[in-house]
Amino acid sequence: MKLTINGESVTLDKPTTVSEYLAANGYKPARIAVEINEAILPKDQYETHNLCEGDLVEIVTFMGGG
């Protein structure tokens, strides 16, 4: 399955939830927001929402500063 994550083409070999993808790639869910096909995905759906062929995914990391 092919999709685009943060502007890069990604191929996944098996069905993958957002939570599984984030864990496999070192993201900390408390510090990010996930947008799929231009809609913010609520954090309580990360474990149940499967990534799909052709999805456009943006993962935004919150950073502190001052």
Side-chain angles (χ1 to χ4, degrees), residues 4-20:
T4 302
I5 299 178
N6 291 344
E8 295 187 23
S9 181
V10 174
T11 301
L12 300 176
D13 296 332
K14 63 182 179 99
T16 303
T17 65
V18 171
S19 184
E20 291 169 335

Side-chain angles (χ1 to χ4, degrees), residues 22-33:
L22 295 174
N25 288 279
Y27 288 101
K28 297 180 190 232
R31 302 193 68 179
I32 61 163

Side-chain angles (χ1 to χ4, degrees), residues 42-64:
K43 288 186 186 295
D44 64 355
Q45 294 180 22
Y46 288 7
E47 289 188 28
T48 58
H49 186 92
N50 285 316
L51 296 168
C52 299
E53 180 77 29
D55 276 348
L56 297 174
V57 180
E58 292 293 326
I59 302 170
V60 180
T61 303
F62 300 111
M63 301 184 85

